[in-house]
Amino acid sequence: MQSGRLRLGILQKILISFLIISLVPLMILAYMSNKNLSDTGLRAVSAAEQMGREDLRHTINVGNTSIEDSVRALDRKSTEAIELRTVELASRIADFLHERDKDVLTLAAVPPSAEYYLQIYQAAKKDVIVTDTAPRSRIERKGNVALEAENPENRTEWRHTPPVDFRRVSRPLYREITFVNLDGKEKIKVTNGAVSFGGLLDVSDIRNTYCKAEDYFHHLERLKRGEIYVSGVIGRYVPGWLYKTNEGLKVKPESAYAVRENPQGEKFEGLVRWATPAYDAEDRKVGYVTMALDHTHIMEFTDHVMPTDEKFGVLSDGGSGNYAFIWDNRDCCISHPRDFFICGYDPRTGERVPGWLSQSMFDKYKKSALSLEQFTATLPSFEDFSQKKQGASEQVKDGKVPLDCRILDHAPQCQGWHQGTEDGGSGSFLILWSGLWKLTTYAAIPYHTGQYGKSRRGFGYVTIGANVDDFHEDAYVAKGKIEKLIAQEGEEMRRANEKARNFINKSASDNRKMMTMIMVIAGVGIAGTSIVISLNITKPLRRLTEKALDMGRGNFDQSIEVTSQDEIGQLTKTFNEMAKSLSELDKMKSEFVTIASHELRTPIQAMLLSISGVLEGYSGQIDDEVREDLLLARTGIERLMRLVESLLDLSRMEARKTALTVSEVSVGTIVERAIAEVKGLSEAHGHAITLDMPPDVPSIEADRDRIIQLLVNLLSNAIKYNPEGGAIILKVERAVNGVSFVSADSGYGIPASAQDRIFDKFFQADSIISQKVGGTGLGLAISKEIVQIHGGSIECESPLPEGRFPGLPLGGERKGSVFTVTLPLDRAAFL
C-alpha cells in the first residue's frame, strides 16, 4: 500500500459500483423519458394545430364558396324579379293603349254629338299621383309598419308591408275629343272640360295642330272602317340644365321637372292622338273621330316605380339610377324622371328638337354646313357607341338634351335595349355606368295598332335601371355572420392549443423535478427499486406515445387509464384533458359544417322550388330565352344542392353518426344496380361499361345502399374524367375473407403527385377538368369513409399496369386509372 493513495474497502467499491450502475442508466432514462414526453406532447399539439388549421381553411373555403354561390343566386333571382316587373309593366301599358282603341271605335259607332262627346270626356278620368313641391324621400304607408302575426304559427319569416298612402287627383284621360270632316275642319271639339263653340280649326294645315307637329290628318283618308291611326307622343320640349359636382350630375332649378332633383320645374305636357273614320246611316264616310290622350297617364306607369325595397315612390331619384322609363318605337325617350330628357318639339317651327350627341359627334356637326336638325337626320343609327365619349357640352349649356337612343352614342346601353327589343322580347344586362355596376332591364310594349303594327317592338319599350349592390345586401349579412363564426372558432382553437402546450411544458418541468428526486431515492435504495421505478415510467410513456400517434392520425377520441397519482399520472390526466379538448374542437368543426350546410339547404331548396314552379308554368307563360336562363339557374342550384348534401353526408360519416343498415347482400345485385344508375351518364359521354364477375362470388354483409353509393361514385368518376368514347371495366374478384371491386378506365389518369391526396376532401387533381365536369372534390372522400366504416380498404393506381386490362384503349392523353375496393364478407370486421 502506497502512501497518499485512497484505500477503498469491498463495501465501498460495491456501493460505488452499484451507484454508478444504477444512477447512470437512471439518469439516461430520466433524460430520455423527459425528452420523449415533451416531444410526444409537442408533436401531438403540433399535429392538432395543423389539423385545426386545415379544417379551418376548409371551413373558410366552404363559407366563401357558399357566399359566392349565394350572391350569384341572389343576383339571378333579383334580376328575374326585375325582368318580370318590366315585362308586366310593358303589358299594362299595352293594355291601357288597347283600351283607347276601344274608346275611339265606340265613339265612331255613334252619330257625332257635342253633348255625347262631352259626356265621354267627363266620364273618362283616371287618378294620378300628386307630386308635391316639397320632396319626400320615402313613401308614406297606412297602418302600423310593425304589425305582427297574431297566430304564433304564422310568425316564421313574417313580412308585412302596409298599403302606400299616395295623394291622388282625378284627371281626364283625354286632352281633347274632336270630330273632323273630310276636309280637315273641326266640327265638334271638346277640350278643357267644355264644348268649344268657337276657334274650330282646319287641322289639314299642320300649323293649326298641337305644337305645329301633328300631321295626322294626311294619314286618315287611307283608313278603312274599323282601322285606327295612332300618333307618336307630341309635346313641347321643356329645356333643362345639368352641372357636375363631386356627387355626380345635378339639375339646375330653372330646368324642367325632375322629380326629387327638381320637383318645382315645368312638366312635359304631351298627347298621343287616336283617330278613326265615322260613317252615317247610309254607310258613307262623313269624317273622323279623334281622341288626344293626355300623355301624363302614360308617364304615370313608370314615374313612381322604384326597383328597391320601397317598390314605389312619390318622387323617384334620377341621379340614383333606380327608376323606370319608356322609349317609343323609334327609340326616342317619352317618359323619364327628368322631363328635359323627353323628346319634344319646338312649337315655333313644329320641328323635333335634335337629340343629345357626344362631344366628338357635335364637333363634326360644327364643321358641316348643315343645321343641327339636318345633321342629326344624316347620322346612322347605333354606330360606334361607347361610354368613353362625353356628352356635347354646348347642348348642355343650351339646355336641349333630349334622348334619342339612335344617336346617343355616349350611352351604349341604348344599343343593348334596341337590339334586345328588336324581336319584341325582353331581358337584361349589366353595365358599368358612372363607376357602379348597374342592372338594366328591357321589355317591348306589345301594342301593334296602326303604325305600331309595322314593328315587333310595338309601341316601344320599357326599361328599368337598378344598382347591383342593392341585391347583395342579404348575402353580405350572411357572409359577415359566417366570417364572425369562423374567426371565433379560430380563436377558440388557438386558445385550446396554447392551453395544451402550456400544460405539456409545465408537466415536463414537473417531471424533471420528480426524476431528480427519484434518482436521489434510487441512489440510496436498492437496485430492485430502480427497476420498479423504471418500469413505472416507461410503460405509461409507451401508452402515451401510442395514443399520441393515434391522435396524429386524426382519431381524437383517446383516453388512457390513470393508474397512479404521481407525475406520470398527472401527465396522463393532462393528456386525457388535451385529447378531450381536441375531440370537442373537432366535433365543433363538424357541427359547424353540418349546421352551415343545413342552413344553406333551406334557401337553396326554396330557390329550386321557385324556379321549378316558374318553369312548370305556375307563374304564367315564359318565352324560350327566359326558360333557357331559368334552366341554367336551376342546374347551378341543383349542383349547389348536391354539394351541400355531400357535405352533410361526409360530416355525418366523419362524426360516426351514420347508422348502417347491415344485411346479407348479393354482390351481383348491387353491381347491376350501380351500373344501371350511371347508364344514362355513360351513354351521354359515349362510354361502354364492361362487367367482369365470376358466377361464384359470395354474398357479403354490408349496408346495401352505401355500397351502391360507393360503386356509383367510382363509376361516375371514371365516366367524367374519361374522353368521349372511352371504356370502363368493373371487375369483381374473390379476396382473402372478402370481395374486391376493381374499377378501371381509359381516362386521363391521375398524376403520381396527386395519388396520395386523391381521397382528401375538396382535392381535385385537375381543377380545369373538374370545373368542366362539375366535380366537387367530395365523391372519393365519401367513398373512403364508406369503405372504412365497413372495415375495408380502398386503393388507387395510375397509369394502368401494362397488360392487366387489355380491353381498355390507352395512348395519347389516355393514361387510365384503377380503383380497388376490398370489403370483408361478414359484419364482424366492422362492428
Side-chain angles (χ1 to χ4, degrees):
M1 192 167 45
Q2 301 177 355
S3 176
R5 177 180 295 181
L6 181 62
R7 298 181 61 183
L8 297 176
I10 298 298
L11 180 59
Q12 290 84 358
K13 291 180 180 179
I14 293 174
L15 180 58
I16 292 172
S17 298
F18 174 78
L19 291 175
I20 293 174
I21 293 172
S22 60
L23 289 179
V24 170
L26 190 58
M27 291 174 64
I28 295 175
L29 177 62
Y31 170 78
M32 295 301 296
S33 299
N34 185 70
K35 186 176 185 301
N36 189 33
L37 282 171
S38 298
D39 291 347
T40 301
L42 293 176
R43 281 200 303 269
V45 172
S46 297
E49 288 177 344
Q50 180 64 26
M51 291 191 65
R53 285 193 294 269
E54 288 295 319
D55 290 341
L56 191 60
R57 182 175 63 84
H58 289 317
T59 302
I60 293 172
N61 290 339
V62 171
N64 290 337
T65 300
S66 301
I67 291 299
E68 291 172 1
D69 290 342
S70 296
V71 168
R72 284 193 292 270
L74 283 173
D75 279 350
R76 174 58 61 186
K77 295 300 293 181
S78 300
T79 299
E80 290 169 358
I82 297 180
E83 285 181 358
L84 178 60
R85 192 175 186 187
T86 308
V87 172
E88 291 176 342
L89 194 57
S91 297
R92 288 175 53 206
I93 294 173
D95 292 342
F96 177 76
L97 298 176
H98 282 300
E99 289 295 326
R100 309 291 72 78
D101 293 348
K102 297 177 182 178
D103 287 352
V104 74
L105 291 175
T106 300
L107 203 59
V110 299
S113 166
E115 292 77 9
Y116 184 68
Y117 285 10
L118 180 60
Q119 292 177 6
I120 295 298
Y121 178 94
Q122 294 174 338
K125 293 184 178 182
K126 193 172 187 293
D127 286 351
V128 297
I129 295 173
V130 176
T131 53
D132 299 329
T133 56
R136 290 177 287 181
S137 60
R138 297 183 63 86
I139 60 176
E140 297 178 1
R141 299 183 181 274
K142 298 178 180 179
N144 182 9
V145 177
L147 182 66
E148 295 184 356
E150 296 180 357
N151 191 321
E153 296 183 16
N154 298 332
R155 292 174 185 169
T156 303
E157 296 296 331
W158 169 271
R159 285 170 57 89
H160 172 75
T161 302
V164 294
D165 185 18
F166 292 136
R167 189 159 63 90
R168 305 172 186 268
V169 295
S170 181
R171 181 163 173 160
L173 279 176
Y174 300 104
R175 298 176 67 90
E176 65 180 32
I177 299 175
T178 66
F179 177 79
V180 180
N181 68 12
L182 298 178
D183 296 326
K185 296 181 175 57
E186 294 177 336
K187 295 301 182 181
I188 302 175
K189 186 173 185 177
V190 177
T191 186
N192 296 326
V195 177
S196 294
F197 293 100
L200 298 178
L201 303 173
D202 181 359
V203 296
S204 64
D205 185 349
I206 196 172
R207 293 173 297 178
N208 294 327
T209 63
Y210 189 59
C211 291
K212 298 180 181 179
E214 290 191 275
D215 63 348
Y216 66 92
F217 182 75
H218 302 289
H219 297 277
L220 302 185
E221 62 182 9
R222 294 190 296 271
L223 296 179
K224 299 177 183 178
R225 180 189 290 273
E227 292 183 339
I228 302 173
Y229 167 82
V230 186
S231 74
V233 174
I234 308 294
R236 181 179 70 85
Y237 177 74
V238 187
W241 291 268
L242 300 168
Y243 64 96
K244 289 185 177 180
T245 69
N246 293 334
E247 299 175 355
L249 288 176
K250 297 294 184 180
V251 177
K252 292 185 177 181
E254 60 267 30
S255 296
Y257 174 77
V259 286
R260 189 175 300 174
E261 296 174 301
N262 188 29
Q264 293 85 10
E266 180 184 356
K267 293 187 177 182
F268 177 85
E269 296 288 343
L271 60 81
V272 179
R273 189 176 296 274
W274 272 255
T276 191
Y279 293 80
D280 61 13
E282 285 74 30
D283 203 28
R284 292 174 299 186
K285 184 188 292 187
V286 295
Y288 306 95
V289 176
T290 81
M291 307 177 76
L293 174 69
D294 186 346
H295 176 248
T296 300
H297 292 291
I298 294 179
M299 296 179 66
E300 279 290 295
F301 283 98
T302 56
D303 274 358
H304 309 287
V305 171
M306 302 178 70
T308 62
D309 289 341
E310 294 182 65
K311 299 182 180 65
F312 301 97
V314 175
L315 300 175
S316 59
D317 186 358
S320 70
N322 291 321
Y323 55 82
F325 36 100
I326 308 175
W327 308 79
D328 67 15
N329 65 330
R330 295 176 296 174
D331 299 285
C332 293
C333 183
I334 59 173
S335 177
H336 197 283
R338 294 166 171 167
D339 279 21
F340 51 79
F341 281 155
I342 300 175
C343 293
Y345 293 81
D346 185 343
R348 297 172 300 174
T349 64
E351 298 292 333
R352 183 188 288 270
V353 176
W356 194 12
L357 302 176
S358 64
Q359 188 62 58
S360 59
M361 189 60 67
F362 195 84
D363 292 340
K364 292 182 181 179
Y365 148 69
K366 289 189 293 185
K367 295 178 181 179
S368 72
L370 303 174
S371 67
L372 185 57
E373 291 83 354
Q374 293 170 333
F375 179 78
T376 55
T378 65
L379 292 178
S381 298
F382 303 105
E383 183 175 87
D384 192 23
F385 273 45
S386 172
Q387 60 178 302
K388 295 179 181 179
K389 301 178 179 181
Q390 299 294 325
S393 59
E394 290 90 339
Q395 287 179 282
V396 173
K397 185 177 180 180
D398 197 32
K400 295 180 179 180
V401 285
L403 303 184
D404 183 343
C405 256
R406 297 168 297 179
I407 58 174
L408 193 64
D409 57 343
H410 50 286
Q413 58 267 43
C414 285
Q415 192 169 6
W417 298 331
H418 176 84
Q419 180 183 355
T421 57
E422 190 69 29
D423 62 352
S426 63
S428 65
F429 56 91
L430 290 176
I431 186 168
L432 186 61
W433 184 258
S434 300
L436 295 173
W437 280 105
K438 293 187 178 181
L439 171 72
T440 178
T441 62
Y442 56 84
I445 300 173
Y447 176 76
H448 302 284
T449 300
Q451 62 169 321
Y452 300 107
K454 299 177 182 179
S455 169
R456 297 187 67 181
R457 189 177 286 113
F459 186 75
Y461 50 94
V462 176
T463 62
I464 296 181
N467 287 330
V468 173
D469 286 343
D470 294 340
F471 303 163
H472 298 166
E473 184 177 355
D474 290 340
Y476 288 150
V477 170
K479 180 179 180 181
K481 292 180 180 178
I482 291 178
E483 289 177 345
K484 183 177 180 181
L485 288 173
I486 291 174
Q488 290 175 350
E489 181 183 0
E491 180 61 24
E492 291 175 2
M493 186 180 298
R494 186 195 65 77
R495 287 198 298 266
N497 289 334
E498 185 66 24
K499 182 178 179 181
R501 189 181 295 275
N502 291 337
F503 268 125
I504 290 174
N505 289 335
K506 184 177 183 302
S507 297
S509 177
D510 293 342
N511 189 60
R512 285 193 294 270
K513 296 177 181 179
M514 275 294 183
M515 288 301 174
T516 302
M517 294 176 62
I518 292 173
M519 284 191 294
V520 172
I521 296 173
V524 297
I526 60 175
T529 304
S530 301
I531 295 173
V532 172
I533 294 174
S534 176
L535 291 176
N536 287 336
I537 294 174
T538 57
K539 185 175 180 180
L541 284 180
R542 285 196 298 270
R543 292 201 304 270
L544 279 172
T545 302
E546 292 171 357
K547 297 296 184 179
L549 291 175
D550 284 342
M551 290 179 65
R553 299 187 188 100
N555 185 9
F556 296 109
D557 291 329
Q558 301 292 336
S559 179
I560 302 176
E561 181 182 358
V562 180
T563 59
S564 65
Q565 300 299 321
D566 57 12
E567 289 81 1
I568 299 301
Q570 180 63 35
L571 182 61
T572 303
K573 291 180 181 179
T574 302
F575 182 88
N576 289 340
E577 292 175 359
M578 178 191 69
K580 182 179 179 181
S581 298
L582 293 176
S583 178
E584 291 175 351
L585 190 61
D586 184 61
K587 291 178 181 178
M588 287 173 59
K589 180 267 299 180
S590 299
E591 290 174 356
F592 172 77
V593 172
T594 302
I595 292 171
S597 300
H598 271 296
E599 292 298 320
L600 288 171
R601 183 166 60 175
T602 300
I604 291 172
Q605 184 67 34
M607 289 188 289
L608 184 59
L609 290 174
S610 298
I611 290 180
S612 298
V614 175
L615 285 171
E616 292 174 6
Y618 293 123
S619 299
Q621 294 295 323
I622 57 175
D623 58 30
D624 293 339
E625 183 177 355
V626 174
R627 180 173 295 278
E628 183 178 355
D629 290 342
L630 289 175
L631 288 173
L632 288 175
R634 184 172 69 179
T635 299
I637 294 174
E638 288 174 345
R639 179 182 175 190
L640 182 58
M641 178 62 79
R642 290 195 297 272
L643 173 60
V644 171
E645 292 294 343
S646 296
L647 282 172
L648 281 171
D649 205 8
L650 185 59
S651 64
R652 294 191 190 102
M653 290 183 182
E654 289 180 335
R656 296 298 185 264
K657 293 182 179 180
T658 302
L660 298 181
T661 304
V662 179
S663 62
E664 185 173 336
V665 178
S666 168
V667 172
T669 300
I670 60 175
V671 168
E672 291 174 358
R673 173 65 181 278
I675 293 176
E677 288 198 15
V678 299
K679 181 178 181 182
L681 181 62
S682 65
E683 290 177 349
H685 288 269
H687 297 331
I689 299 178
T690 303
L691 175 61
D692 182 2
M693 182 177 66
D696 57 345
V697 176
S699 298
I700 61 175
E701 291 188 3
D703 187 318
R704 175 180 176 275
D705 292 336
R706 288 297 182 183
I707 302 304
I708 292 175
Q709 180 185 2
L710 163 67
L711 295 178
V712 168
N713 282 351
L714 295 179
L715 292 175
S716 299
N717 217 50
I719 293 170
K720 292 177 181 178
Y721 296 93
N722 204 341
E724 300 294 325
I728 300 167
I729 294 176
L730 180 58
K731 189 174 184 180
V732 182
E733 300 175 335
R734 287 292 303 269
V736 179
N737 296 323
V739 175
S740 293
F741 301 87
V742 182
S743 170
D745 62 76
S746 61
Y748 300 105
I750 303 169
S753 59
Q755 291 182 25
D756 291 338
R757 300 183 58 201
I758 196 69
F759 298 105
D760 292 351
K761 292 177 291 187
F762 302 106
F763 179 76
Q764 296 173 333
D766 192 325
S767 60
I768 296 177
I769 296 179
S770 297
Q771 292 175 4
K772 179 179 178 183
V773 303
T776 63
L778 294 176
L780 290 179
I782 293 174
S783 299
K784 182 179 180 181
E785 290 293 333
I786 293 174
V787 171
Q788 289 181 341
I789 62 178
H790 279 83
S793 63
I794 182 169
E795 298 176 352
C796 170
E797 186 177 1
S798 182
L800 289 181
E802 185 176 356
R804 183 177 176 187
F805 297 97
L808 295 179
L810 301 178
E813 64 180 355
R814 299 177 184 268
K815 304 299 181 183
S817 59
V818 56
F819 287 84
T820 302
V821 175
T822 303
L823 298 176
L825 290 177
D826 56 58
R827 61 194 300 172
F830 55 93
L831 290 182

mmCIF file of all heavy atoms in Angstrom, residues 259-280:
data_model
loop_
_atom_site.group_PDB
_atom_site.id
_atom_site.type_symbol
_atom_site.label_atom_id
_atom_site.label_comp_id
_atom_site.label_asym_id
_atom_site.label_seq_id
_atom_site.Cartn_x
_atom_site.Cartn_y
_atom_site.Cartn_z
ATOM 1 N N VAL A 259 -88.497 65.363 -60.829
ATOM 2 C CA VAL A 259 -88.928 64.672 -59.608
ATOM 3 C C VAL A 259 -88.151 65.134 -58.381
ATOM 4 O O VAL A 259 -88.128 66.321 -58.077
ATOM 5 C CB VAL A 259 -88.896 63.142 -59.783
ATOM 6 C CG1 VAL A 259 -90.036 62.678 -60.643
ATOM 7 C CG2 VAL A 259 -87.575 62.669 -60.377
ATOM 8 N N ARG A 260 -87.465 64.226 -57.679
ATOM 9 C CA ARG A 260 -86.825 64.578 -56.416
ATOM 10 C C ARG A 260 -85.721 65.624 -56.600
ATOM 11 O O ARG A 260 -85.456 66.429 -55.718
ATOM 12 C CB ARG A 260 -86.234 63.318 -55.777
ATOM 13 C CG ARG A 260 -85.738 63.520 -54.357
ATOM 14 C CD ARG A 260 -85.285 62.213 -53.763
ATOM 15 N NE ARG A 260 -86.388 61.255 -53.725
ATOM 16 C CZ ARG A 260 -86.261 59.996 -53.355
ATOM 17 N NH1 ARG A 260 -85.080 59.535 -52.999
ATOM 18 N NH2 ARG A 260 -87.293 59.181 -53.338
ATOM 19 N N GLU A 261 -85.088 65.655 -57.790
ATOM 20 C CA GLU A 261 -83.997 66.597 -58.019
ATOM 21 C C GLU A 261 -84.507 68.022 -58.267
ATOM 22 O O GLU A 261 -83.824 68.989 -57.950
ATOM 23 C CB GLU A 261 -83.158 66.139 -59.207
ATOM 24 C CG GLU A 261 -82.462 64.802 -58.985
ATOM 25 C CD GLU A 261 -81.762 64.314 -60.235
ATOM 26 O OE1 GLU A 261 -82.435 64.129 -61.265
ATOM 27 O OE2 GLU A 261 -80.535 64.153 -60.185
ATOM 28 N N ASN A 262 -85.687 68.159 -58.879
ATOM 29 C CA ASN A 262 -86.232 69.488 -59.167
ATOM 30 C C ASN A 262 -87.755 69.394 -59.284
ATOM 31 O O ASN A 262 -88.325 69.510 -60.368
ATOM 32 C CB ASN A 262 -85.633 70.042 -60.465
ATOM 33 C CG ASN A 262 -86.009 71.489 -60.701
ATOM 34 O OD1 ASN A 262 -86.238 72.241 -59.755
ATOM 35 N ND2 ASN A 262 -86.101 71.880 -61.956
ATOM 36 N N PRO A 263 -88.455 69.176 -58.171
ATOM 37 C CA PRO A 263 -89.909 68.967 -58.234
ATOM 38 C C PRO A 263 -90.683 70.229 -58.596
ATOM 39 O O PRO A 263 -91.867 70.150 -58.933
ATOM 40 C CB PRO A 263 -90.243 68.501 -56.813
ATOM 41 C CG PRO A 263 -89.162 69.062 -55.954
ATOM 42 C CD PRO A 263 -87.925 69.057 -56.795
ATOM 43 N N GLN A 264 -90.041 71.403 -58.566
ATOM 44 C CA GLN A 264 -90.758 72.636 -58.896
ATOM 45 C C GLN A 264 -90.687 72.961 -60.383
ATOM 46 O O GLN A 264 -91.307 73.924 -60.836
ATOM 47 C CB GLN A 264 -90.162 73.819 -58.105
ATOM 48 C CG GLN A 264 -90.376 73.745 -56.601
ATOM 49 C CD GLN A 264 -89.322 72.911 -55.897
ATOM 50 O OE1 GLN A 264 -88.325 72.538 -56.510
ATOM 51 N NE2 GLN A 264 -89.539 72.601 -54.632
ATOM 52 N N GLY A 265 -89.926 72.190 -61.163
ATOM 53 C CA GLY A 265 -89.736 72.506 -62.573
ATOM 54 C C GLY A 265 -90.994 72.294 -63.404
ATOM 55 O O GLY A 265 -91.939 71.621 -63.003
ATOM 56 N N GLU A 266 -90.968 72.854 -64.620
ATOM 57 C CA GLU A 266 -92.098 72.730 -65.543
ATOM 58 C C GLU A 266 -92.156 71.297 -66.083
ATOM 59 O O GLU A 266 -91.144 70.722 -66.478
ATOM 60 C CB GLU A 266 -91.932 73.706 -66.708
ATOM 61 C CG GLU A 266 -93.064 73.641 -67.715
ATOM 62 C CD GLU A 266 -92.827 74.553 -68.904
ATOM 63 O OE1 GLU A 266 -91.801 75.291 -68.899
ATOM 64 O OE2 GLU A 266 -93.635 74.503 -69.842
ATOM 65 N N LYS A 267 -93.368 70.728 -66.120
ATOM 66 C CA LYS A 267 -93.543 69.358 -66.578
ATOM 67 C C LYS A 267 -93.762 69.307 -68.095
ATOM 68 O O LYS A 267 -94.262 70.248 -68.694
ATOM 69 C CB LYS A 267 -94.718 68.692 -65.873
ATOM 70 C CG LYS A 267 -94.502 68.471 -64.387
ATOM 71 C CD LYS A 267 -95.631 67.657 -63.790
ATOM 72 C CE LYS A 267 -95.379 67.372 -62.310
ATOM 73 N NZ LYS A 267 -96.440 66.541 -61.706
ATOM 74 N N PHE A 268 -93.368 68.178 -68.657
ATOM 75 C CA PHE A 268 -93.634 67.928 -70.068
ATOM 76 C C PHE A 268 -95.131 67.660 -70.245
ATOM 77 O O PHE A 268 -95.705 66.846 -69.524
ATOM 78 C CB PHE A 268 -92.827 66.717 -70.542
ATOM 79 C CG PHE A 268 -93.076 66.323 -71.970
ATOM 80 C CD1 PHE A 268 -92.394 66.933 -73.008
ATOM 81 C CD2 PHE A 268 -94.000 65.320 -72.280
ATOM 82 C CE1 PHE A 268 -92.620 66.556 -74.321
ATOM 83 C CE2 PHE A 268 -94.227 64.945 -73.580
ATOM 84 C CZ PHE A 268 -93.542 65.564 -74.614
ATOM 85 N N GLU A 269 -95.754 68.356 -71.178
ATOM 86 C CA GLU A 269 -97.170 68.179 -71.463
ATOM 87 C C GLU A 269 -97.307 67.691 -72.908
ATOM 88 O O GLU A 269 -97.018 68.435 -73.851
ATOM 89 C CB GLU A 269 -97.934 69.496 -71.285
ATOM 90 C CG GLU A 269 -97.946 70.034 -69.866
ATOM 91 C CD GLU A 269 -98.831 69.210 -68.943
ATOM 92 O OE1 GLU A 269 -99.672 68.443 -69.461
ATOM 93 O OE2 GLU A 269 -98.681 69.326 -67.715
ATOM 94 N N GLY A 270 -97.723 66.452 -73.078
ATOM 95 C CA GLY A 270 -97.835 65.879 -74.419
ATOM 96 C C GLY A 270 -99.140 65.163 -74.620
ATOM 97 O O GLY A 270 -99.976 65.048 -73.711
ATOM 98 N N LEU A 271 -99.298 64.661 -75.849
ATOM 99 C CA LEU A 271 -100.509 63.903 -76.159
ATOM 100 C C LEU A 271 -100.164 62.813 -77.156
ATOM 101 O O LEU A 271 -99.136 62.864 -77.848
ATOM 102 C CB LEU A 271 -101.602 64.830 -76.706
ATOM 103 C CG LEU A 271 -101.316 65.622 -77.990
ATOM 104 C CD1 LEU A 271 -101.505 64.787 -79.258
ATOM 105 C CD2 LEU A 271 -102.238 66.842 -78.045
ATOM 106 N N VAL A 272 -101.017 61.807 -77.214
ATOM 107 C CA VAL A 272 -100.999 60.772 -78.246
ATOM 108 C C VAL A 272 -102.400 60.734 -78.831
ATOM 109 O O VAL A 272 -103.383 60.574 -78.101
ATOM 110 C CB VAL A 272 -100.619 59.389 -77.670
ATOM 111 C CG1 VAL A 272 -100.631 58.340 -78.774
ATOM 112 C CG2 VAL A 272 -99.258 59.435 -76.987
ATOM 113 N N ARG A 273 -102.516 60.896 -80.142
ATOM 114 C CA ARG A 273 -103.838 61.040 -80.758
ATOM 115 C C ARG A 273 -104.264 59.741 -81.443
ATOM 116 O O ARG A 273 -103.486 59.119 -82.170
ATOM 117 C CB ARG A 273 -103.853 62.178 -81.775
ATOM 118 C CG ARG A 273 -105.264 62.521 -82.285
ATOM 119 C CD ARG A 273 -105.221 63.726 -83.205
ATOM 120 N NE ARG A 273 -104.786 64.942 -82.533
ATOM 121 C CZ ARG A 273 -105.602 65.757 -81.875
ATOM 122 N NH1 ARG A 273 -106.895 65.477 -81.770
ATOM 123 N NH2 ARG A 273 -105.128 66.852 -81.306
ATOM 124 N N TRP A 274 -105.522 59.367 -81.171
ATOM 125 C CA TRP A 274 -106.185 58.256 -81.852
ATOM 126 C C TRP A 274 -107.207 58.854 -82.850
ATOM 127 O O TRP A 274 -107.868 59.855 -82.533
ATOM 128 C CB TRP A 274 -106.953 57.388 -80.856
ATOM 129 C CG TRP A 274 -106.165 56.290 -80.237
ATOM 130 C CD1 TRP A 274 -106.226 54.970 -80.513
ATOM 131 C CD2 TRP A 274 -105.193 56.423 -79.190
ATOM 132 N NE1 TRP A 274 -105.370 54.248 -79.745
ATOM 133 C CE2 TRP A 274 -104.696 55.119 -78.902
ATOM 134 C CE3 TRP A 274 -104.658 57.485 -78.492
ATOM 135 C CZ2 TRP A 274 -103.735 54.861 -77.950
ATOM 136 C CZ3 TRP A 274 -103.687 57.252 -77.539
ATOM 137 C CH2 TRP A 274 -103.238 55.959 -77.281
ATOM 138 N N ALA A 275 -107.352 58.242 -84.003
ATOM 139 C CA ALA A 275 -108.336 58.709 -84.997
ATOM 140 C C ALA A 275 -108.848 57.523 -85.792
ATOM 141 O O ALA A 275 -108.099 56.577 -86.084
ATOM 142 C CB ALA A 275 -107.711 59.740 -85.928
ATOM 143 N N THR A 276 -110.148 57.586 -86.174
ATOM 144 C CA THR A 276 -110.750 56.514 -86.967
ATOM 145 C C THR A 276 -111.924 57.100 -87.753
ATOM 146 O O THR A 276 -112.530 58.099 -87.334
ATOM 147 C CB THR A 276 -111.222 55.365 -86.052
ATOM 148 O OG1 THR A 276 -111.578 54.232 -86.858
ATOM 149 C CG2 THR A 276 -112.404 55.780 -85.203
ATOM 150 N N PRO A 277 -112.244 56.529 -88.917
ATOM 151 C CA PRO A 277 -113.333 57.086 -89.740
ATOM 152 C C PRO A 277 -114.695 56.908 -89.072
ATOM 153 O O PRO A 277 -114.937 55.960 -88.319
ATOM 154 C CB PRO A 277 -113.247 56.275 -91.041
ATOM 155 C CG PRO A 277 -111.909 55.631 -91.023
ATOM 156 C CD PRO A 277 -111.546 55.433 -89.602
ATOM 157 N N ALA A 278 -115.615 57.850 -89.366
ATOM 158 C CA ALA A 278 -117.010 57.777 -88.906
ATOM 159 C C ALA A 278 -117.916 57.712 -90.130
ATOM 160 O O ALA A 278 -117.663 58.360 -91.158
ATOM 161 C CB ALA A 278 -117.345 58.999 -88.052
ATOM 162 N N TYR A 279 -118.992 56.914 -90.043
ATOM 163 C CA TYR A 279 -119.898 56.682 -91.158
ATOM 164 C C TYR A 279 -121.323 57.032 -90.730
ATOM 165 O O TYR A 279 -121.680 56.901 -89.560
ATOM 166 C CB TYR A 279 -119.820 55.227 -91.624
ATOM 167 C CG TYR A 279 -118.486 54.861 -92.234
ATOM 168 C CD1 TYR A 279 -117.398 54.559 -91.408
ATOM 169 C CD2 TYR A 279 -118.319 54.822 -93.605
ATOM 170 C CE1 TYR A 279 -116.162 54.219 -91.946
ATOM 171 C CE2 TYR A 279 -117.081 54.481 -94.156
ATOM 172 C CZ TYR A 279 -116.014 54.186 -93.335
ATOM 173 O OH TYR A 279 -114.805 53.857 -93.885
ATOM 174 N N ASP A 280 -122.136 57.456 -91.741
ATOM 175 C CA ASP A 280 -123.531 57.755 -91.414
ATOM 176 C C ASP A 280 -124.385 56.513 -91.610
ATOM 177 O O ASP A 280 -123.850 55.408 -91.867
ATOM 178 C CB ASP A 280 -124.041 58.924 -92.264
ATOM 179 C CG ASP A 280 -123.981 58.603 -93.760
ATOM 180 O OD1 ASP A 280 -123.778 57.401 -94.117
ATOM 181 O OD2 ASP A 280 -124.122 59.534 -94.578
#
